[in-house]
Amino acid sequence: AQSVTQLDSQVPVFEEAPVELRCNYSSSVSVYLFWYVQYPNQGLQLLLKYLSGSTLVESINGFEAEFNKSQTSFHLRKPSVHISDTAEYFCAVSDPKGGYQKVTFGTGTKLQVIP
Amino acid sequence: DAGITQSPRHKVTETGTPVTLRCHQTENHRYMYWYRQDPGHGLRLIHYSYGVKDTDKGEVSDGYSVSRSKTEDFLLTLESATSSQTSVYFCASRQPQSTDTQYFGPGTRLTVL
């Protein structure tokens, strides 16, 4: 069975400061890893994903995440946050060979950007 | 963005009444999923479908049933709603390839009084 732990339920950060949202996963097999973002009153949108290859993946709006197999982590970082980044962020994992591509989500981290 | 809609977007109902939520996608995705989102729990899988008339239970399926008679529609039914089913419900869909992305609908906020 696979699981995801997001260590922080809320992260307040000042505008233009860097941020790291932590994610650790547990799985006995190889994994695909995802970060989703949920803006207020909206559904989830894929922010970035790791499938294979380079362990550093980037999104179009400046976020990046690094797959660390030895530490079973997939932390999300941004060097300088904007007010518009205020949202809830979910880390997720799936088994590439698992049945019907079910995804297991973490409990979410609310990022609050303070002006 | 994938075309996934959910109806209704908001619903208030009373304990013991039946409720059906609808998910409609226009992407011809084969796989579809129903999740519920609750504070402190993230998203939890209720049921999923891997084709027309092919469905299976997720981790929190008690009290819920689903049906999929067409590729584009996936219905979630609460046979007799309870207050513990007050939640935000999300539908998602995707193609079977493991590298494909799961796309989410806008959600339905259900309140059971």
Side-chain angles (χ1 to χ4, degrees):
Chain A
Q2 55 198 23
S3 64
V4 177
T5 302
Q6 292 185 245
L7 298 169
D8 305 299
S9 60
Q10 295 189 59
V11 174
V13 61
F14 286 104
E15 192 174 15
E16 297 184 4
V19 69
E20 178 180 81
L21 306 183
R22 297 179 292 172
C23 172
N24 288 90
Y25 69 91
S26 174
S27 176
S28 59
V29 297
S30 61
V31 294
Y32 288 163
L33 292 159
F34 311 85
W35 276 100
Y36 283 84
V37 58
Q38 183 181 33
Y39 298 104
N41 299 313
Q42 295 186 25
L44 277 71
Q45 304 171 35
L46 181 68
L47 187 61
L48 48 76
K49 61 183 178 182
Y50 169 78
L51 304 179
S52 64
S54 173
T55 57
L56 185 67
V57 291
E58 299 177 348
S59 72
I60 58 173
N61 57 352
F63 283 94
E64 65 178 30
E66 186 163 18
F67 170 55
N68 188 319
K69 187 175 182 178
S70 63
Q71 298 187 9
T72 61
S73 68
F74 191 55
H75 301 332
L76 182 68
R77 302 183 182 94
K78 190 171 186 180
S80 175
V81 296
H82 302 287
I83 293 292
S84 59
D85 294 324
T86 295
E88 190 161 17
Y89 293 79
F90 292 91
C91 184
V93 62
S94 73
D95 176 359
K97 300 178 182 176
Y100 308 114
Q101 305 308 320
K102 288 180 286 183
V103 177
T104 301
F105 288 85
T107 53
T109 298
K110 290 185 178 179
L111 174 62
Q112 181 185 8
V113 180
I114 305 164
Chain B
D1 289 342
I4 303 178
T5 57
Q6 293 182 232
S7 59
R9 293 293 313 279
H10 302 270
K11 186 171 182 66
V12 179
T13 191
E14 294 188 350
T15 297
T17 60
V19 177
T20 295
L21 308 183
R22 180 181 184 238
C23 177
H24 179 79
Q25 53 105 352
T26 58
E27 302 298 317
N28 201 34
H29 287 166
R30 185 176 154 196
Y31 290 177
M32 296 186 75
Y33 310 82
W34 275 108
Y35 295 90
R36 59 178 290 174
Q37 183 181 24
D38 304 288
H41 291 278
L43 274 76
R44 293 179 290 176
L45 183 65
I46 306 171
H47 280 280
Y48 60 98
S49 170
Y50 43 95
V52 173
K53 299 191 188 304
D54 292 324
T55 65
D56 206 348
K57 297 178 180 179
E59 61 179 300
V60 290
S61 60
D62 288 348
Y64 302 95
S65 63
V66 291
S67 66
R68 190 158 177 214
S69 59
K70 297 184 292 185
T71 297
E72 58 266 35
D73 290 326
F74 193 31
L75 304 181
L76 177 70
T77 296
L78 291 66
E79 301 290 348
S80 179
T82 67
S83 59
S84 64
Q85 293 175 312
T86 292
S87 186
V88 181
Y89 291 86
F90 287 99
C91 172
S93 71
R94 62 173 293 161
Q95 291 294 27
Q97 290 79 5
S98 63
T99 55
D100 282 349
T101 298
Q102 193 168 130
Y103 294 95
F104 284 83
T108 294
R109 183 173 296 276
L110 176 67
T111 302
V112 183
L113 301 176

